[in-house]
Amino acid sequence: MVALACTGPTGEEGMMHRTARPLVLDVIADGPTTTLIVAGSAPDLQRVRYSLIVEGQSYTRHAGTATLCVDRQVVSRVRLHNGERWTATLTVESEGNPPYRLVRTSAQ
């Protein structure tokens, strides 16, 4: 089981807002691994800055900028061993939208 939280500009956690987010954090458990995927799209050309931090038995940080368009594209990918406890935090800043943070965690 994976828990999901979204923190908006006020810092309050809660259900994801119903506004479109340019980037999402998907979790795919497949066999012996779990893959965290940062992917996104935008209705118009949009530049986003992101930081993905994964903490668990090890520490991983992926950060950068991406230019999104209509087609969904993968921006970053992290693979973990199943059974490992972890917390992933994706922070996103994009043109014309308030920054937001998505947090996913293994529920072990």
Side-chain angles (χ1 to χ4, degrees):
M1 176 177 267
V2 175
L4 168 67
C6 178
T7 304
T10 62
E12 296 178 4
E13 282 194 17
M15 297 295 289
M16 285 187 63
H17 303 289
R18 296 206 183 268
T19 59
R21 304 285 189 186
L23 292 179
V24 297
L25 179 57
D26 293 329
V27 178
I28 300 170
D30 185 25
T33 62
T34 296
T35 305
L36 307 175
I37 298 173
V38 177
S41 64
D44 297 311
L45 222 53
Q46 183 176 32
R47 188 174 188 145
V48 296
R49 185 171 12 168
Y50 69 93
S51 171
L52 173 65
I53 296 174
V54 182
E55 297 174 283
Q57 290 178 333
S58 62
Y59 177 91
T60 301
R61 181 175 186 267
H62 289 200
T65 59
T67 301
L68 303 176
C69 59
V70 175
D71 294 329
R72 185 178 193 267
Q73 62 191 62
V74 173
V75 174
S76 182
R77 184 181 320 230
V78 175
R79 286 193 174 93
L80 306 165
H81 294 287
N82 279 346
E84 185 178 330
R85 295 186 74 165
W86 52 267
T87 299
T89 304
L90 175 65
T91 304
V92 181
E93 296 177 14
S94 62
E95 300 168 347
N97 294 311
Y100 64 94
R101 183 172 43 188
L102 301 173
V103 178
R104 296 250 180 145
T105 176
S106 61
Q108 300 176 348

